[in-house]
Amino acid sequence: MTHISANDLKTKGISAIEFALSTAPEAIVSVRGKDRFVVMDMAHYHYLRECELDAALAQSRADLAAGRMVQESPEAHLARLDAMNAA
């Protein structure tokens, strides 16, 4: 993964990010020698968000298939949450 120093970002601005992203989908911004941030273009960000949503959907389907779910009314759900918080 490409690294961009905070100083390069300060002096070169967005062109430092554009250059770093021309060779890799993500770049790390380091501040005082420590990795602090990751930057990426919007297309890559949307791809990662879609992957997260697909993983959450797969986990929900697995929970349903394994019977790890409760079917109840909204009132019963709130009552169950209140009982869990009181315990």
Side-chain angles (χ1 to χ4, degrees):
M1 193 174 303
T2 306
H3 280 74
I4 306 168
S5 70
N7 191 50
D8 283 344
L9 192 54
K10 182 179 178 182
T11 59
K12 297 176 184 172
I14 195 71
S15 64
I17 294 173
E18 288 174 336
F19 178 75
L21 294 180
S22 68
T23 59
E26 301 166 346
I28 295 174
V29 177
S30 59
V31 180
R32 296 183 185 93
K34 294 186 179 184
D35 296 344
R36 292 284 310 272
F37 306 99
V38 175
V39 293
M40 64 188 76
D41 65 19
M42 286 304 292
H44 189 64
Y45 171 78
H46 288 298
Y47 167 76
L48 293 177
R49 288 289 297 147
E50 189 173 329
C51 289
E52 286 179 336
L53 294 172
D54 287 343
L57 183 58
Q59 184 178 8
S60 295
R61 287 180 175 156
D63 287 343
L64 284 171
R68 294 185 297 262
M69 56 100 175
V70 175
Q71 186 172 355
E72 61 192 358
S73 69
E75 294 80 12
H77 177 71
L78 291 174
R80 187 168 52 88
L81 291 178
D82 287 339
M84 289 172 49
N85 288 333

